Amino acid sequence: MQSAFSLSFSQSSLTLPNRPLCSSNASPRNLRREAFGFSPSKQLTSCRFQVKSGNGAPSNKSFDYDLVIIGAGVGGHGAALHAVEKGLKTAIIEGDVVGGTCVNRGCVPSKALLAVSGRMRELQNEHHMKSFGLQVSAAGYDRQGVADHANNLATKIRNNLTNSMKALGVDILTGFGSVLGPQKVKYGKDNIITAKDIIIATGSVPFVPKGIEVDGKTVITSDHALKLESVPDWIAIVGSGYIGLEFSDVYTALGSEVTFIEALDQLMPGFDPEISKLAQRVLINPRKIDYHTGVFASKITPAKDGRPVMIELIDAKTKEPKDTLEVDAALIATGRAPFTNGLGLENINVATQRGFIPVDERMRVIDGNGKLVPNLYCIGDANGKLMLAHAASAQGISVVEQVTGRDHVLNHLTIPAACFTHPEISMVGLTEPQAREKAEKEGFKVSIAKTSFKANTKALAENEGEGLAKMIYRPDNGEILGVHIFGLHAADLIHEASNAIALGTRIQDIKLAVHAHPTLSEVVDELFKAAKVESPASTTPQSVKATV
Amino acid sequence: RLTNSDLVFSVHFTPLNLSDLSHCDLSNSNNNGGFFFVLSTASLSNPKSTISFASSVSPAPIPSLRRVVFRSPSSRRRVMTIRSKIREIFMPALSSTMTEGKIAKLAKGESVVVVESDKADMDVETFYDGYLAAIVVGEGETAPVGAAIGLLAETEAEIEEAKNKAASKPSSSAVVPSPPPATSSPAPAIAQPSPAAAASDGPRKTVATPHAKKLAKQHKVDIGSVAGTGPFGRITASDVEAAAAAPAPTAKATTTSSPPLLPDASIVPFTAMQSASLSVPTFRVGYPVNTDALDALYEKVKPKGVTMTALLVKAAGMALAQHPVVNASCKDGKSFSYNSNINVAVAVAINGGWIVLVISKMERAATMAASSSFLSTASLSNPKSTISFASSVSPAPIPSLRRVVFRSPSSRRRVMTIRSKIREIFMPALSSTMTEGKIVSWIKTEGEKLAKGESVVVVESDKADMDVETFYDGYLAAIVVGEGETAPVGAAIGLLAETEAEIEEAKNKAASKPSSSAVVPSPPPATSSPAPAIAQPSPAAAASDGPRKTVATPHAKKLAKQHKVDIGSVAGTGPFGRITASDVEAAAGLAPTVTPPPPPPPPPAAAPAPTAKATTTSSPPLLPDASIVPFTAMQSAVSKNMIESLSVPTFRVGYPVNTDALDALYEKVKPKGVTMTALLVKAAGMALAQHPVVNASCKDGKSFSYNSNINVAVAVAINGGLITPVLQDADKLDLYLLSQKWKELVGKARSKQLQPHEYNSGTFTLSNLGMFGVDRFDAILPPGQGAIMAVGASKPTLVADKDGFFSVKNKMLVNVTADHRIVYGADLAAFLQTFAKIVENPDSLTL
């Protein structure tokens, strides 16, 4: 199925998926409907002490393994853990470092940088501090210290990830993996193993459009930026999606000025327009940021020979030269390209589409003739369905469910996404225009409920009243179509909505649930309560003991 | 008439800058000795010394009155080079209450000795490798905290030496309760009066805060040796930090003894101390004080044992009590603290060296008597000054977020006592970046009753539309700014009457103040700058290599838009010639912002007025405790500018100017509204026109620019700070216009409504403290200007003409501080000559 997000991605700068670095390590299991309520909540970082014998021997003696996963990123890791739980003998092949992009070059280190930038921003905001009655003298930072924090965090999470797999007995095979043929995988120089099922989870790498010369110093990708080897005075960020936004937050907090270069006509494509407008008011306008929209960076030359970084801009539509920028650095955040080269796909007659491995809604790989390749699956960024770490993990679990005999189709509309700016942006489901389009097609009515963080006690206590939560729903039956939040801890708040969507909970039911006061969660509660649903509550509300 | 009894004292903030002090401020020391007050608590001197000496409470006999000899710098240097190899082991303070300890046992190994304190027996360890060379205090004996109980030699060879040393200092070192730093102590070989200290207050209990204790432990600082500067003399974390950072007191104290007796000085931190002192931007203000009454009083109280020092210290203390800011200290450049105690240190010459004794708890020092007549004379304050500053205090309150702030329509003073019944509703600052707001709609109409908390008006800020609520019950009496109109933050947009009866009154009020508060002050008309009158070297032109593309950073562009600066006309000084935010700010006449988030534009600081803080004689906040006050944005800006000024090599040239003619002119034009300031500005402006180099500025140290306009900034003390309104084109505007303009500017400054270009575009600064009776002072050159003029009081002076006839003329001392990179001595001298000529023949001023 085509997810709601694919629409937003198709809007991104270079029509390439823009994989957020911001996705959390949230447990992927929240997508398993049957798991709700009884499955212990597990984080990627926690060890599990469960059926270790599960990874003892393959169920079918003719194979070395029941399941081999190529790529030990978050997707592969999620699949491996679930496979062991399901009693499959599992191996995971990693050619680089365990953890993949998310842990080593993505979500995780960027969260460390954002944690720093959030504090810097707060400490530098005299007005904000004053309104607390706090007096803080000039805040400063040590770049290396910040960089070390990010690096240490990545190392820690990587070790946690490795240990969690080792603890379960997952075989971690080192070397680049490739598909030799049906149910046969090669890794390293010439180690060949067989498996009943194979999952490709090789992820993605930063996408660099042609004409852009990346030198790793002044023209960089997120891979370099996360090492924070320098804080340029002025940095151009090509692409204003999640990655670009988050980095603009980091860089401006550390004192840089930022220029966005966006191919589309407006910044922050892919967000709900209302959220995007407010976000621009808060995240862009008051900061030392300017932008060029509707332009491509056709050529970027790193700083050399005493010249700054040169960026040639051409009109996105007419392709006519528009401007030349001279900046100190350029960050290429135009999205991510699948990492599928050298996978041996030709051995099984699979042709990639712009690098992505075509799959069906069950992540089964489709070959050049449009036929399903048996026993071969592809999850995560490599299939391009929804380039989020937790989506990859959810897809992996879905695949394991299928190979263990339970058909499962992942509903991508239940997968939340978040951007960890200050304040955060989060969303699940459809945007308002998407919902209206769908409503028109299918003939139902759409209503909008909105609430402001200014009405929330906890947010006001934090002096963070800036924010908006918005819910798109069907007034006839109370179905939640989408929720978008911009405000303090939005990334954490979205899950009540995403869970409700995943479980099919209707507004008229969930609005009776009790939220602790005063908490930010009341923002979402307000949304539910503000909705006007025609149908009555479907179930008798349980008597809930409220803690006040 | 200068007589021996004319005592000139000066307030000097840099005790280490001795050479300067001796020749500059103690000029008539040959007559009657020089005095300078080291205001110990104004740690503009040195934070460390302040701390340490605060503890040596010794209000008793002060030797060598009226003789201050300064140790030559060379001896200090020598002290620094000798490093001791023999260290003393001190009786440690094992508890906060311990004042002395008994040697329970002499131990071997890491623990050297077991000491019995008031609480427990404890092992005392050494922090140094070496040999226990000599035991000074034997087992079972008792020694006060801080006394040497043993000697530690670094090498075996030194053991003998140490033993001799131990023998030569019998019990004295064990008895003298000199507060030692952790590492070493001065050997107070000479008898000096300090022991008397503790006697007065009895044994002092050491009180340290939990954090201080933790820090002390962490940094291995003997808490007993730390002088507490906190409330009630308690030791705070910062005291410990200061003590841990540099045992400066040692250095100071050591100098009391003659140089050869300093084998055990560990004085390395001294340089740190010095440099600390030198990094403080200081200025000097002189004041002539008549001492006839003081001398008489002195004669009277002398038989009772009162010394002149005591009198002066008492006078200084009482003056400080009225001007706590002079008694405050700034340690980190970000905040300052009002010190709760007034501790006056007195420099005393002893055997070729000098020591600073501290007299603390001024108020309680019973030894001193002083007549009120003396005090009114000697006090730094004088009634006149306080009055004039009281009048200059009238800041408008800055409205805060979503709060409807009220302001009394009448005088400031009435706000305190009488509550206004008609309140103004201000344009609130709805965000930190909001400078003006648009009225979207008035929810209430005129005459409607308002309840506290009700929304009155919807305001559109740069971020969002927001309801503004009232915090008061009342009636919306008048709408000053209508829907769709825009008003700057803080401007009155409506009036709130408390009772219905007052609505009419409020309406009249609203009518009488038409646009003044509601209309956005329009951006300054671009000052056209005609070429200066005299031919002068061509202005340093920006060397441009062909038509260049304008490159401006995002922030620069935003600022340009905000301040309505044409970005194309701004010269870029950033990397690759790009236009940075500071370039735009410079072009807009703003001071560079301090930190990335733009705070209110700070003013450039000129000579700070010493009494700026004191609002009225009675009102200065006599803070019970030393309270740390973080700098306000303005103070931070001043601080930053002052620190920046240290990087500019300046020099000073003084010139006495005869003001008889000027005074006569002033009397004549005064009725026409001309102020003395305007006269001086006009004179300076005319002189500058003839000496463009003095009006030049050097910003990067590589080139300088002749400024086409002569904009004279004049330092004005306003509540909580200092601002320099600028009289533009001072040479061209006529006297009356200047006076009028000046009045306007001062009004704006007091209500904090000065536009950036009105306080930031100065090319030359004038600071006048003459009205306070200050006869001479020097000013700190504000960054970006070539020179600043410090004007003292005009006073009758005995003058001998060339024929030898004496006459009395009014003379004022003018002191110009200039950037020596661009202005040389002769330039300044010539400028001053011209200035003097203009002032002495002031007719040209009125032309």
Side-chain angles (χ1 to χ4, degrees), chain A residues 11-59:
Chain A
Q11 291 173 356
S12 77
S13 319
L14 288 140
T15 65
L16 267 168
N18 200 357
R19 174 176 177 151
L21 292 163
C22 45
S23 46
S24 74
N25 282 328
S27 164
R29 294 171 199 260
N30 55 5
L31 301 164
R32 295 167 50 207
R33 294 179 188 209
E34 81 289 354
F36 276 104
F38 58 84
S39 172
S41 127
K42 295 161 206 113
Q43 293 188 339
L44 293 176
T45 54
S46 66
C47 293
R48 298 196 315 179
F49 303 97
Q50 286 186 359
V51 279
K52 197 172 173 184
S53 57
N55 206 28
S59 46

Side-chain angles (χ1 to χ4, degrees), chain B residues 427-488:
Chain B
M427 173 60 67
L430 299 175
S431 76
S432 55
T433 53
M434 176 172 169
T435 53
E436 56 173 38
K438 191 171 154 193
I439 308 290
V440 177
S441 61
W442 282 93
I443 298 167
K444 303 282 174 179
T445 52
E446 284 188 13
E448 207 168 329
K449 194 171 187 313
L450 304 175
K452 193 174 152 188
E454 267 187 294
S455 295
V456 181
V457 59
V458 180
V459 170
E460 183 186 312
S461 75
D462 54 341
K463 297 233 171 61
D465 294 355
M466 280 171 93
D467 291 2
V468 177
E469 297 163 13
T470 168
F471 288 160
Y472 301 96
D473 293 337
Y475 295 85
L476 180 58
I479 288 171
V480 178
V481 180
E483 288 182 13
E485 287 179 52
T486 302

Side-chain angles (χ1 to χ4, degrees), chain B residues 54-269:
Chain B
S55 72
S56 48
V57 182
S58 55
I62 291 150
S64 302
L65 177 69
R66 289 188 157 234
R67 210 181 124 233
V68 181
V69 181
F70 299 105
R71 204 169 33 75
S72 75
S74 64
S75 70
R76 186 193 310 150
R77 212 165 294 138
R78 244 180 37 232
V79 172
M80 293 194 289
T81 53
I82 304 166
R83 287 204 77 189
S84 166
K85 291 288 164 64
I86 300 165
R87 293 196 172 86
E88 291 183 354
I89 300 167
F90 290 99
M91 174 60 69
L94 299 176
S95 76
S96 56
T97 53
M98 174 174 171
T99 53
E100 59 171 33
K102 188 169 155 191
I103 307 292
K105 206 168 79 187
L106 287 165
K108 292 259 163 72
E110 302 242 314
S111 301
V112 183
V113 60
V114 180
V115 171
E116 185 185 311
S117 77
D118 57 343
K119 296 226 170 70
D121 289 0
M122 281 170 92
D123 290 1
V124 176
E125 293 167 16
T126 170
F127 290 150
Y128 300 96
D129 293 336
Y131 298 84
L132 181 59
I135 291 166
V136 178
V137 180
E139 280 184 27
E141 287 180 53
T142 304
V145 167
I149 54 173
L151 292 177
L152 186 75
E154 203 157 282
T155 63
E156 226 166 328
E158 285 162 334
I159 295 179
E160 270 314 300
E161 192 191 324
K163 276 189 177 158
N164 294 339
K165 193 165 166 258
S168 72
K169 53 152 86 177
S171 57
S172 74
S173 67
V175 169
V176 179
S178 60
T183 49
S184 76
S185 111
I190 355 173
Q192 47 151 293
S194 61
S200 57
D201 289 352
R204 231 180 89 77
K205 201 174 140 214
T206 311
V207 180
T209 65
H211 189 202
K213 283 185 203 150
K214 257 181 210 164
L215 278 176
K217 207 168 149 196
Q218 192 184 328
H219 296 295
K220 302 203 173 65
V221 170
D222 176 6
I223 198 103
S225 70
V226 177
T229 64
F232 313 108
R234 81 168 64 115
I235 297 162
T236 63
S238 57
D239 294 337
V240 175
E241 276 164 352
T250 326
K252 259 304 181 41
T254 319
T255 57
T256 44
S257 38
S258 49
L261 291 173
L262 297 169
D264 53 349
S266 69
I267 311 189
V268 191

Side-chain angles (χ1 to χ4, degrees), chain A residues 257 281 285 287 289 324, chain B residues 463 549 553 555 558 578:
Chain A
E257 296 181 29
R281 268 184 160 177
N285 296 349
R287 299 183 180 173
I289 300 176
T324 306
Chain B
K463 297 233 171 61
K549 193 171 155 299
T553 72
H555 190 210
K558 264 186 194 160
R578 79 168 65 120

